[in-house]
Amino acid sequence: MKKIALFLTCFAVGICVMFYSLYRMDLARMANNEPVIFSTWGYDYAGAETDSDANNNLLTMSPMDGTLTSRGMVVTIMNNSDNTIYFGDYFAIEKKQGSRWNEISYASSASPDWSDATYVMGAGSSMDFSYYWVDLYGELDKGEYRMVKLYYDNTSYSEISRFYCEFEIA
């Protein structure tokens, strides 16, 4: 009877060690933007894509016709929500590689010095903004891209959300 109990205990410990090692491997793969092997174990692996679905097209950003180049573009941001939104100058560019969006590295090792300006958009309003990214990222190659902006609204000043502008450089 002791041999069976010892065997079952060792077997349970072995299973726990195996699951823990799979868990650690998945965490390392998620940190490197690689697909997971076993499971996400409760982590929000989808990341930014989940945020865009939550917007339900209430906050949109789209390139103005005829302004998109490999060096920059003019976008129109529309707030179709019932909330006032706040955002700054910060933006990031991501490139689609396969089915994943990966943030592009800056062209220089120095991080940009974003201004502290805050733009306020009331419910139902729109604004046009010019973005010239060649100084940050260089000229973009052919491919699918999206610009990422961070914002918060008057319902939760501590919760930062994202919205996107997808575009293609041909």
Side-chain angles (χ1 to χ4, degrees), residues 3 11 41 58 78 90 106 113 115 133 144 161 164 167:
K3 288 183 180 182
F11 182 74
W41 291 73
L58 295 177
M78 297 188 69
Y90 169 82
Y106 294 126
D113 187 21
S115 77
W133 55 70
E144 292 181 61
S161 300
Y164 308 96
F167 58 95

Side-chain angles (χ1 to χ4, degrees), residues 1-168:
M1 188 70 169
K2 286 184 182 181
K3 288 183 180 182
I4 292 175
L6 183 60
F7 171 76
L8 291 177
T9 303
C10 290
F11 182 74
V13 168
I15 294 291
C16 289
V17 168
M18 181 185 73
F19 281 114
Y20 180 75
S21 64
L22 288 171
Y23 167 74
R24 297 298 296 171
M25 285 176 29
D26 280 350
L27 287 180
R29 293 178 68 81
M30 283 189 279
N32 293 322
N33 286 327
E34 297 173 354
V36 294
I37 296 169
F38 187 67
S39 171
T40 60
W41 291 73
Y43 283 82
D44 184 11
Y45 186 57
E49 285 77 13
T50 303
D51 291 338
S52 67
D53 294 338
N55 289 330
N56 288 329
N57 296 324
L58 295 177
L59 186 58
T60 61
M61 180 170 44
S62 55
M64 191 177 286
D65 289 338
T67 64
L68 176 61
T69 69
S70 63
R71 301 171 66 86
M73 70 177 157
V74 178
V75 299
T76 300
I77 298 176
M78 297 188 69
N79 179 8
N80 297 316
S81 72
D82 295 330
N83 303 320
T84 300
I85 64 161
Y86 307 88
F87 58 92
D89 284 332
Y90 169 82
F91 70 93
I93 302 289
E94 296 178 345
K95 185 173 184 176
K96 192 169 191 177
Q97 296 169 330
S99 62
R100 303 210 26 107
W101 291 101
N102 297 312
E103 188 170 336
I104 299 174
S105 300
Y106 294 126
S108 72
S109 60
S111 294
D113 187 21
W114 301 104
S115 77
D116 292 335
T118 301
Y119 302 98
V120 180
M121 286 186 67
S125 63
S126 68
M127 297 172 126
D128 295 335
F129 292 90
S130 296
Y131 291 100
Y132 186 69
W133 55 70
V134 74
D135 293 335
L136 294 173
Y137 299 103
E139 287 195 42
L140 300 180
D141 298 328
K142 293 181 181 181
E144 292 181 61
Y145 295 90
R146 72 178 179 184
M147 178 184 290
V148 182
K149 297 269 309 158
L150 305 176
Y151 77 97
Y152 60 94
D153 62 30
N154 60 334
T155 61
S156 176
Y157 293 107
S158 62
E159 186 177 324
I160 297 175
S161 300
R162 294 176 172 91
F163 65 107
Y164 308 96
C165 177
E166 292 186 16
F167 58 95
E168 186 172 347

